[in-house]
Amino acid sequence: MTGEPRDHTVAGRLLPWTGDDGRPCYLVGDGTGYVSRLADEIEDVQIDMADRLLGHAAELLAERRVTSAELHYLALRLSESLRDVIRVAESRGEWLARSPRP
């Protein structure tokens, strides 16, 4: 995710949040429980927020009269959103890699 080594011995779903120490959280299970459904909902919200943020960024940058503080705030939010979406992509990619092929 951010260049740190990954523990590939963990056989679980990468969750869309981190622990208090910033380390990734994993869920081991069949993907049908409450935490798995909650993770699905959070991932959907994160993707939707990223989409809306991109639209806002396009509008803001089209104005051409943006302050450095506004650009800084936008860059912070885009960075957070990108980090979330990368985690979702990694989680779903790992899930797809484990899924049996037809």
Side-chain angles (χ1 to χ4, degrees), residues 67-89:
T67 68
S68 62
E70 290 171 320
L71 284 175
H72 181 78
Y73 184 79
L74 177 63
L76 288 173
R77 301 295 77 84
L78 286 169
S79 295
E80 290 171 355
S81 184
L82 183 57
R83 189 173 15 260
D84 290 343
V85 171
I86 287 172
R87 178 176 280 119
V88 171

Side-chain angles (χ1 to χ4, degrees), residues 2-86:
T2 58
E4 72 261 3
R6 298 274 311 263
D7 182 0
H8 294 286
T9 62
V10 176
R13 174 184 179 173
L14 176 63
L15 294 171
W17 55 81
T18 60
D20 292 337
D21 58 359
R23 295 180 67 196
C25 293
Y26 292 88
L27 173 66
V28 177
D30 61 4
T32 61
Y34 171 77
V35 175
S36 187
R37 289 190 306 274
L38 179 63
D40 290 341
E41 291 174 18
I42 290 173
E43 287 177 349
D44 288 343
V45 168
Q46 289 172 327
I47 292 169
D48 183 57
M49 287 175 59
D51 186 46
R52 290 173 187 240
L53 183 57
L54 279 174
H56 175 69
E59 291 172 7
L60 188 68
L61 295 172
E63 288 181 19
R64 296 274 208 210
R65 289 191 286 164
V66 181
T67 68
S68 62
E70 290 171 320
L71 284 175
H72 181 78
Y73 184 79
L74 177 63
L76 288 173
R77 301 295 77 84
L78 286 169
S79 295
E80 290 171 355
S81 184
L82 183 57
R83 189 173 15 260
D84 290 343
V85 171
I86 287 172

